[in-house]
C-alpha cells in the first residue's frame, strides 16, 4: 500500500485541470487543480496526495470484494457441512436420511440401503419442506409396499439437530407421520427420537442409519453378534426377530397373534399413535425411574432393558413386538420415548 | 528572437515600452501573458482562458500598467500590474452586476487592507517579501519562455522527472557535468537540442537514461546555465544540500 505523500513546491504553471509544482527536490509534479482555487504563479503550494482517500477507498473496495468472495465461497463450500440444520434418519425398511436446513427445507436425501434408494429415487426434494418430503417418503413406502395395510409396520425416526435449535420439531414430525399413516389406513409403530450428531457420525462409519446403529449396539450388548450387512438391508422389525434372544423370539412369533387382534381393533392402533405424543400431565413413578435410567443412558442399558423385557414376557401381551421396539430405543433416547415405552407398557398391562 | 530576458533586460524593455516602443511592449505582454492569465484566474477564483472576457480586461489593465507605471513609487512592476488587473476585474464585475464570486469579496477586503498597509506603513519587510516573490515569478516566467524554445512546457516535466532519489542524483550530476563542457552547452543553446550522443560518449552515461529524462535534464541545465535565477536555483539545490547534510550527520 502506498503511503500518503505530501508535495511541497512552488506553482510553476496553472492549467485548467492541473497545477505544475516544482517540488523541493527539484522534480516537477502535476497535481489536480482544486476547482475553486487558482493559485498564483510562484506561490508556495502544498499538496497532499489524496492517498488517504483514494487508496483506502480502493482498499475498502478490495476488502469488500474479498469478504464477498469469502462469503460466496463459504456459502458454496461449507453448506455441505453446515447447511443441514437437521438430519432426519427414517427407517421403515428403507433407510433414509433427510437433510434439512434451519428453515426445514430439504437439501438432500440420502439412501442408506437398497430399499432406501428406491424411495429416494422416487422423490423429488427440490424446494420442499421437510414435512412434505417425509409424507412423500411414507407415501412411497406404502406404494412400494414397505408399509402395508395388513401388517404392523415400523416407522422409526431419529431427529439429529446439527445446530442448536430453539424449537424441537419432533412433535410436528410425529403428527405428520401419524396423519399420513392414518390417511392411508396403515398401521405402524411410530417412534420419533432425538439423536446426537456424534451418534450420527458413528452410524455413518458403519453406513447404517442412526436407528439401526442403535439397534446394532443394543444387540451387541445383549450378546448376539449382529451382522452389519443384514441390519442394513432388513427392516428393523426383522432384524430384531433375527437377533433377539430365543425367549423373545417366542414373543415375536406371537406377534402375528397381536396383529390379528389389532385388525380387530383398528382404533387401538390409532389410539396408540395418539398416545405417542408427550403426555406430561400424566407423570408416573415409572417414568421418573426411566428418566433416571435415561440419564445414565448408555452406561447401563442392559439393566434397564432386562427389567422391562421381563414384563412383556410374563404378560404375554399382544404387542410384544411393540414393546421390544420401545425398549430397544429406550437405551438411547429422549423423554418422549419414555412416554412411548410407558404407554406401551400401559397398553400391555391393560 | 530576443536574447534571454533577464530581469535587467526586462526593466530595460519596460523602460522602452513606456517610452513608446511598441515592439518592446508587445514582447513584454507576450512575456507576461502567463502571469496575466494566472493573476486573473486567481483573482476571479476560477480558471480563465484567453477567450474569457476577464482575460481581455486583465490584458488591457496590464497594458495600462505599462503606461502608468512609475518606478519612483517604490513598487515592483508586477505588483503594480497585478493591482491594476485586480481593480479592473472588480470594477468589471460590479458593472456587470454579475454574481460576484465569493473569493473576490474576501480577497478584495484583504487586498484593500494589505495595500493600505503597504501604502501607509510602507513596511520594508513586506516590500522585500513581495520583491522576492516577484523575483521568483519573473524567474518562472523567463524559464517558461526559454523552455518554449526547447519545445518544453511545464506540465510535461512530470513525466521526465526522476522518480527516485538515486536517479535524481544521477540526473543532477549529468546536468553539472554537462554545464561544465562549454562546447556542449554552446551547441545545445544554438541548436535548441540536447546533444545526447556526444554527451553520452563523453561522460559514459547511458543514452537510454538521458532520453528517459531528457526534458527534465534540459530544464536543469538551463537553470544551471542561468545562475541569476537565484530563487529557482536555490530551490532545486536545496534538497541536495539537505541530503549532504543528512549524510554527514549519519556518518
Amino acid at each position: 500500500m502506498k503511503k500518503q505523500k505530501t508535495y511541497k513546491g512552488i506553482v510553476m504553471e496553472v492549467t485548467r485541470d492541473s497545477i505544475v509544482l516544482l517540488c523541493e527536490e527539484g522534480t516537477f509534479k502535476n497535481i489536480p487543480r482544486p476547482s475553486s482555487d487558482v493559485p498564483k504563479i510562484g506561490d508556495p503550494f502544498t499538496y497532499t496526495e489524496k492517498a488517504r482517500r483514494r487508496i483506502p477507498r480502493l482498499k475498502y473496495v478490495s476488502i469488500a470484494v474479498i469478504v464477498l468472495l469469502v462469503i460466496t465461497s463459504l456459502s458454496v463450500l461449507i453448506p455441505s457441512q453446515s447447511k443441514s440444520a437437521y438430519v432426519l434418519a427414517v427407517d421403515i425398511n428403507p433407510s433414509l436420511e433427510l437433510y434439512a436446513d434451519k428453515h426445514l427445507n430439504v437439501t438432500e436425501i440420502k439412501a442408506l440401503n437398497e430399499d432406501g434408494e428406491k424411495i429416494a429415487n422416487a422423490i423429488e426434494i427440490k424446494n420442499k419442506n421437510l414435512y412434505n418430503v417425509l409424507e412423500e417418503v411414507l407415501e412411497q413406502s406404502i406404494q412400494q409396499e414397505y408399509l402395508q395395510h395388513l401388517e404392523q409396520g415400523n416407522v422409526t425416526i431419529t431427529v439429529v439437530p446439527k445446530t442448536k435449535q430453539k424449537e424441537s420439531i419432533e412433535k410436528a414430525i410425529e403428527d405428520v407421520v401419524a396423519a399420513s399413516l392414518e390417511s392411508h389406513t396403515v398401521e405402524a409403530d411410530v417412534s420419533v427420537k432425538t439423536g446426537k450428531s456424534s451418534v450420527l457420525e458413528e452410524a455413518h462409519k458403519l453406513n447404517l442409519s442412526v436407528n439401526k446403529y442403535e439397534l446394532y449396539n443394543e444387540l451387541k450388548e445383549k450378546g448376539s453378534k449382529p451382522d452389519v450387512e443384514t441390519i442394513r438391508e432388513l427392516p428393523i422389525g426383522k432384524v430384531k426377530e433375527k437377533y433377539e434372544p430365543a425367549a423373545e423370539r417366542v414373543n415375536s412369533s406371537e406377534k402375528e397373534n397381536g396383529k390379528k387382534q389389532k385388525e380387530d381393533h383398528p382404533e387401538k392402533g390409532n389410539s396408540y399413535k395418539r398416545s405417542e405424543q408427550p403426555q406430561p400431565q400424566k407423570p408416573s413413578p415409572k417414568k421418573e425411574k426411566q428418566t433416571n435410567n435415561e440419564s445414565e443412558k448408555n452406561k447401563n442399558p442392559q439393566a434397564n432393558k432386562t427389567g422391562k423385557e421381563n414384563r412383556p414376557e410374563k404378560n404375554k401381551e399382544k404387542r410384544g413386538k411393540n414393546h421390544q421396539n420401545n425398549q430397544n430405543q429406550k437405551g438411547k433416547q429422549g423423554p418422549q420415548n419414555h412416554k412411548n415405552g410407558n404407554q406401551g407398557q400401559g397398553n400391555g398391562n391393560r | 528572437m530576443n536574447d534571454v530576458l533577464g530581469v535587467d533586460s526586462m526593466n530595460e524593455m519596460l523602460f522602452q515600452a513606456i517610452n513608446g516602443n511598441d515592439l518592446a511592449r508587445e514582447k513584454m505582454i507576450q512575456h507576461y501573458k502567463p502571469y496575466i492569465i494566472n493573476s486573473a484566474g486567481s483573482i476571479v477564483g476560477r480558471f480563465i482562458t484567453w477567450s474569457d472576457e476577464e482575460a481581455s480586461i486583465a490584458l488591457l489593465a496590464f497594458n495600462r500598467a505599462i503606461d502608468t507605471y512609475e518606478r519612483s513609487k517604490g513598487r515592483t512592476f508586477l505588483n503594480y500590474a497585478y493591482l491594476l488587473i485586480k481593480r479592473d476585474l472588480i470594477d468589471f464585475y460590479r458593472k456587470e452586476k454579475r454574481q460576484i464570486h465569493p473569493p473576490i469579496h474576501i480577497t478584495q477586503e484583504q487586498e484593500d487592507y494589505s495595500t493600505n498597509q503597504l501604502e501607509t506603513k510602507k513596511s520594508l519587510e513586506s516590500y522585500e517579501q513581495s520583491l522576492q516573490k516577484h523575483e521568483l515569478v519573473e524567474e518562472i516566467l523567463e524559464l517558461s519562455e526559454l523552455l518554449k524554445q526547447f519545445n518544453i512546457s511545464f506540465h510535461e516535466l512530470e513525466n521526465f522527472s526522476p522518480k527516485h532519489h538515486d536517479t535524481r542524483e544521477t540526473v543532477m550530476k549529468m546536468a553539472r557535468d554537462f554545464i561544465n563542457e562549454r562546447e556542449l552547452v554552446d551547441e545545445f543553446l544554438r541548436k535548441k537540442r540536447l546533444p545526447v550522443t556526444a554527451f553520452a560518449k563523453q561522460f559514459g552515461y547511458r543514452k537510454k537514461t538521458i532520453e528517459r529524462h531528457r526534458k527534465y535534464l534540459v530544464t536543469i541545465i538551463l537553470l544551471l546555465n542561468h545562475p541569476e535565477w537565484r530563487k529557482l536555483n536555490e530551490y532545486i539545490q536545496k534538497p541536495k544540500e539537505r541530503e549532504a547534510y543528512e549524510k554527514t550527520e549519519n556518518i
Side-chain angles (χ1 to χ4, degrees), chain B:
Chain B
M1 274 274 132
N2 199 1
D3 290 327
V4 178
L5 304 164
V7 178
D8 285 338
S9 77
M10 216 57 233
N11 279 336
E12 179 64 26
M13 190 94 76
L14 177 61
F15 183 72
Q16 283 185 20
I18 288 168
N19 291 329
N21 185 339
D22 283 349
L23 192 68
R25 184 184 294 258
E26 188 56 37
K27 275 186 177 154
M28 250 190 101
I29 291 174
Q30 280 304 321
H31 179 76
Y32 283 109
K33 257 186 160 183
Y35 180 75
I36 297 166
I37 198 80
N38 175 252
S39 300
S42 88
I43 290 162
V44 172
R46 70 187 165 87
F47 188 73
I48 300 277
T49 62
W50 284 112
S51 48
D52 283 322
E53 223 174 333
E54 287 89 341
S56 48
I57 288 161
L59 206 56
L60 286 174
F62 184 81
N63 194 34
R64 200 150 47 81
I66 298 174
D67 293 335
T68 55
Y69 177 64
E70 287 173 58
R71 198 173 295 188
S72 51
K73 282 270 174 79
R75 241 182 226 280
T76 63
F77 172 70
L78 270 190
N79 194 338
Y80 182 67
Y82 181 83
L83 209 69
L84 289 198
I85 292 169
K86 185 164 204 166
R87 279 182 191 162
D88 280 14
L89 279 174
I90 289 166
D91 280 353
F92 167 72
Y93 275 110
R94 278 193 188 135
K95 273 181 205 158
E96 290 287 305
K97 285 184 183 168
R98 281 200 199 162
Q99 199 188 358
I100 296 171
H101 290 253
I104 282 196
H105 264 310
I106 301 157
T107 46
Q108 186 189 342
E109 282 163 23
Q110 279 176 345
E111 182 63 22
D112 284 349
Y113 178 64
S114 63
T115 46
N116 279 339
Q117 239 184 2
L118 249 177
E119 279 169 353
T120 53
K121 292 186 183 171
K122 286 199 172 170
S123 151
L124 189 65
E125 205 179 314
S126 64
Y127 170 72
E128 271 181 355
Q129 259 182 9
S130 80
L131 202 64
Q132 275 186 352
K133 204 173 146 195
H134 285 109
E135 269 172 39
L136 181 60
V137 174
E138 296 279 9
E139 285 173 25
I140 292 170
L141 291 174
E142 280 159 29
L143 175 64
S144 164
E145 200 169 319
L146 193 57
L147 284 177
K148 244 179 242 162
Q149 298 173 19
F150 288 83
N151 266 331
I152 296 172
S153 57
F154 283 134
H155 64 263
E156 291 177 293
L157 285 171
E158 183 184 26
N159 288 333
F160 289 90
S161 288
K163 302 281 179 290
H164 228 266
H165 287 260
D166 299 344
T167 338
R168 205 192 58 236
E169 278 310 298
T170 316
V171 176
M172 287 293 185
K173 193 172 174 297
M174 278 181 185
R176 262 177 267 123
D177 284 347
F178 189 89
I179 210 78
N180 289 332
E181 284 301 314
R182 217 49 245 181
E183 276 179 32
L184 287 176
V185 174
D186 286 345
E187 193 192 340
F188 167 64
L189 291 177
R190 199 175 64 246
K191 288 190 178 171
K192 309 288 182 205
R193 257 185 54 203
L194 198 65
V196 176
T197 318
F199 177 52
K201 222 181 227 172
Q202 196 165 337
F203 289 93
Y205 290 118
R206 287 176 62 212
K207 265 190 185 179
K208 211 175 160 189
T209 321
I210 299 172
E211 272 308 319
R212 169 75 188 80
H213 301 293
R214 200 186 78 242
K215 290 195 173 182
Y216 182 71
L217 186 60
V218 168
T219 311
I220 299 297
I221 290 170
L222 287 177
L223 276 173
L224 292 179
N225 199 37
H226 287 271
E228 73 271 18
W229 296 340
R230 289 205 318 270
K231 294 279 164 196
L232 283 178
N233 272 301
E234 213 173 87
Y235 215 82
I236 56 165
Q237 251 143 41
K238 211 190 217 166
K240 263 231 85 225
E241 289 164 12
R242 194 175 58 214
E243 255 168 43
Y245 175 71
E246 276 169 13
K247 262 179 200 165
T248 51
E249 269 221 327
N250 285 338
I251 292 159

Side-chain angles (χ1 to χ4, degrees), chain A residues 290 293 304-312 327 330 345:
Chain A
Q290 280 168 6
N293 287 337
N304 225 355
K305 263 164 241 158
T306 46
K308 276 159 217 162
E309 268 156 25
N310 290 338
R311 214 169 288 152
Q327 280 151 14
K330 251 172 226 159
Q345 279 172 4

